[in-house]
Amino acid sequence: MSFSPSGAVADVPVGTSLLDAATQAGVEVAAPCGGQGRCGRCRVLVTDGVVERRANVHLPQPLLDEGHSLACQTFVTGPVTVEVPARRREKVRPHGHAAAEPEALPVSCDWRRDPAVRVIELEMEPPSLVDQTSDLDRLRRALARHDIDDVRVEMTLLHGLGQALRDADWKVAVALEMRDWVYGTYLPPRLLDIRPASEACRSFGLAIDVGTTSVVAYLVDFTTARVVDTESAYNRQIECGEDVISRILYSQRGAGLLRLQRLVLETINDLIAELTTRSGIGGGCILEVAVAGNTTMTHLLLGLDPKYLREEPYVPTFSVAPKLVAAELGLKVNPQARVHCLPSVGSYVGGDITAGVISSGLYATDDLTLFIDIGTNGEMVLGTKDWLIACACSAGPAFEGGGVGDGMRATYGAIEDVWINAETYEPSFRTIDDAPPVGICGSGLIDLLSELFVTGIVDKSGRIDRRLAAVTPRVRVRDGLGEYVVVWADEAGEHRDIALTDGDISGLVSAKAAIYAGFSVLCGSVGVELAEVKRVLIGGAFGEYLDIEKAIRIGLLPDLPAERYSFLGNTSALGAYTALLCVNMRHAILDVAGKMTYLELSADNSFMEEYTSALFLPHTHLDDFPTVKALLEATSVGSGRREAADHTDRRDERS
Amino acid sequence: MSFSPSGAVADVPVGTSLLDAATQAGVEVAAPCGGQGRCGRCRVLVTDGVVERRANVHLPQPLLDEGHSLACQTFVTGPVTVEVPARRREKVRPHGHAAAEPEALPVSCDWRRDPAVRVIELEMEPPSLVDQTSDLDRLRRALARHDIDDVRVEMTLLHGLGQALRDADWKVAVALEMRDWVYGTYLPPRLLDIRPASEACRSFGLAIDVGTTSVVAYLVDFTTARVVDTESAYNRQIECGEDVISRILYSQRGAGLLRLQRLVLETINDLIAELTTRSGIGGGCILEVAVAGNTTMTHLLLGLDPKYLREEPYVPTFSVAPKLVAAELGLKVNPQARVHCLPSVGSYVGGDITAGVISSGLYATDDLTLFIDIGTNGEMVLGTKDWLIACACSAGPAFEGGGVGDGMRATYGAIEDVWINAETYEPSFRTIDDAPPVGICGSGLIDLLSELFVTGIVDKSGRIDRRLAAVTPRVRVRDGLGEYVVVWADEAGEHRDIALTDGDISGLVSAKAAIYAGFSVLCGSVGVELAEVKRVLIGGAFGEYLDIEKAIRIGLLPDLPAERYSFLGNTSALGAYTALLCVNMRHAILDVAGKMTYLELSADNSFMEEYTSALFLPHTHLDDFPTVKALLEATSVGSGRREAADHTDRRDERS
């Protein structure tokens, strides 16, 4: 048999799996689950010949019909030719869609007819003794011929106006902000830029997602509405604290607030420099900016004291930011460029979530929909186009790799996929960039916990079964804590064992319990069952890297059919992109923020009860997780397994 | 060497000028001409020691004998003690009504029902876990109870908002700008100030007339609409040039523009300091500012390059200034206070004239009215409520005392009233503050020329009758020029003769001819006769100090019945006061500026003809001056007199 495009060949007996054949031929095929048919990653295309395939949930019929096969579940019966897809070239991905170009605007908008900014070339009659109209009025007059009846010009631009017009010999290109969107009333267009017509530039905008961990910028061409380039980086504020609470604490120290503001501005300005250098455009051609960020991030970006976000009753200074321009903030785009901050709802439901409600389409749907953004905080919105209710659960940093001994952020060398062989208890894993493993990132932790659970290494209360130490060296006890070793020191990037302990698991279970309790309380508050949710939209940090099935198995996500789940990528940046380009959506965003009810969990009595119920794997009420229950019943994975099914489901009792 | 009274010392080598020594010692000595010995302003008194002095026309012998020296023309030869006179605290009348409190608003406006600013006390419910509304939205909510549906808050105020509300225990006084008037649309109120209710202050405004020579400020109480105090000072830009042209030239040198802006801001800020100290109010309680000034002054105040005002075709950068706030400009009032610049019409018809058209009532009258403001430039507006036409005549500095040997500004010791005995040719005069005479100010020069003319000392062509030297020592010839001595050195404040020469008269006649030609061209351009003008309204620098009858006799003003003339005082400051208080008038002011036609005299062929005709006393066409003609016929005042009547009146020929 042969492999394309490499041309490698293998001489193997009938009955050999394509995966084994590939290994023998030296062809790399990803198989993080170790060839158990569970992960679905080893997909190849059989282009010629006949094979025998086992049924597998990971390959739907249409793909099967085309010849797609899972290499580990497909076996040679004769001469065969197999095409191995090229491995995706992945940049480091602080966020799901960071580097991927968004396909299209997530909403419909008439950006051509109702543009946010316009660049217009004007040719004016020079002044004379019989026409002494002032420079500014001459400009207005020329604009009136383009149906622009008035224009606002701020002092900064007025300073150079006389010289600019004369230097350009009265032929100029002006850039205008066409729409002001914060305060109900539309104002006349505002002059952003004036330069000789011969030096006119296309108009660009910048959509920025300012996350606690990472900052993502999209460079948008206003003349095509396309994202022409994207760039992302860690938020430099990380050096002052990993999460929002530690940033708020840092802001209270001396010049802490100023430093935090400076650091995030530096982060953004570096992204701008990167994007403009690569695209060969001047920063002055970036004429409008939209920023989505959580409430703490926007407070810090604007240099506003976030103190009261953290102190009960958790009140932000603003929800709709005042108008400001790039020069006020120090952003290195056109100094006059308007900076729009997407409005927030509360101290822990910020502009990133408003952005998500817009870009996910939740704001316009009839179906009962749950939008979630899981990071340090699990923010979630439940609703339809008619109503929206939101809450935020403090999950702690576990899902971003914090508070876990060998946890780390989703970067080079982080284990992101884990599979454990139920027979041997041996793991297989994949790391970001296939680098030597250094630690485990959020999605890897969820995978690992799920695998430990379904293989019976961890019981429903989250404890490692120490008896297995007698069966596998992977399970051991250290300093009184049970632990499972994922990577031995000699295979690890930093030459030490990478393991997950009872203590780490306890933190992860707490985190998932907080998130799941949020879902429960949100539904309970409006009298619906989680099972009634028609769609679950996942935005934010996890993005496509989260394995839904595994997340359900540990009880992080509700046990709903896979087709109800969608991964939307960086919904925050997409929302900023929408606000940047679609002036008609700017009012919609304000409406969304205005009508969203914020449920403060610390003031909600049912939260603690729901949280406590969720402190088991997958949950105290196993009947709420029918697929997990079925899996546990179907597989024979150790003695602790059946106890879960025995547990009284209190929810059933109540209903 | 040492300086008294400061006691400062300097150790300088022989040959150092006293001015340089003073600079080194940190002693302030005025030297507007930069130490060239031309202005005579750096006078000091050498009380001890020996110096070497250069001859200088500015110091007459008696003063030299007393030890007075020009610091720049005097050099150290050994130990010396120098007394530096205290800088004169000038409390004079740069403008007619500068220090007088205006009686009432010159227009009707409902400032109570439609106030420019409001101060409102608010008491808010503190936030709680069940009411986590943001600070800003809480403020909005409280304002909504006062029928204020929205409020604009800029970043600066947002920065302190959270702390301010909590420090005030949620009981605050907020100040709001209620009306935005520049761009057609009314915007929501804008937050100007927030402070604890217990520290609420009354709301004040500031109306400023920024003149080339002097700056006048009115402190206005918004709660009573009264001017509670006024203050004026010379525009410190004077040290960079006396008139607008020299200021424009100065602005082109290095940091000249910045310096000019700084100087006028210092002038205004000193007035503000004086007013607030005297009234015992905080600068933060001054919540709105209106500024009227000529086009050069407003360009300089805003830091805009005035270069093109001076270069043909004389085009200003703007006529309606952009919106700006005090902090942007550096005015020491409430940083958020809006600064309104009254709109201008052209490079030489500025906001001071628009202000005058409003405050004089011209904008609303049915009668054909001429509004004039005579200073370095004679600006004039002809019209009714339906139409307005304006022009500016460059009169030169003669009427402000410039370009005339013994001319001076209207300040301490200036001769302002002159009468000449037709028999003895002996003068009598009055000086400002009855001080010893130092020179002659504008109104004094008009008086003097008129008296010289009607007493026959000067003939209709403006020449001193040298034959009278035989009759009176007052008439004499020096350096080939005839002159009339008003004050003998021994009566004069500076111990030198004060006289008017043929050359001085020539300058004055030129100036009055330019003004009168303006009137003629303005009337001619709309096909009316000067005699048809129903009212002549005089505003600006001359104010009540101008003697109408004498001004008519020299042909400066048209020969109309006295009852048609009115003096209106400082119409520029009054217009600013109107704009400050009456939001309904703000649109009216824009309308006025918009509909006023600017007649560029340098592009008008008839101007030169009219000017030439006006280069006689009172005018070539004596029939246009019937009262003067009658006077000349009735009195027997010398041989040259009758010739005037003989002169063909071309205007009569044409009609």
Side-chain angles (χ1 to χ4, degrees), chain B residues 216-271:
Chain B
V216 179
Y218 291 177
L219 182 67
V220 178
D221 184 339
F222 276 122
T223 56
T224 62
R226 304 295 300 173
V227 174
V228 293
D229 200 359
T230 73
E231 187 60 63
S232 66
Y234 285 117
N235 186 334
R236 288 206 196 145
Q237 290 177 340
I238 287 175
E239 63 189 65
C240 304
E242 297 259 338
D243 52 34
V244 295
I245 298 301
S246 47
R247 306 263 172 99
I248 294 173
L249 289 171
Y250 188 91
S251 75
Q252 301 306 305
R253 288 163 35 182
L257 176 56
L258 279 176
R259 175 145 192 257
L260 286 164
Q261 185 184 27
R262 187 173 53 75
L263 287 169
V264 69
L265 285 171
E266 282 176 8
T267 308
I268 297 173
N269 281 333
D270 282 357
L271 294 179

Side-chain angles (χ1 to χ4, degrees), chain B residues 408-425:
Chain B
M408 66 182 287
R409 286 197 297 268
T411 180
Y412 189 85
I415 295 171
E416 54 171 351
D417 256 348
V418 187
W419 297 88
I420 297 176
N421 186 311
E423 307 298 322
T424 63
Y425 301 112

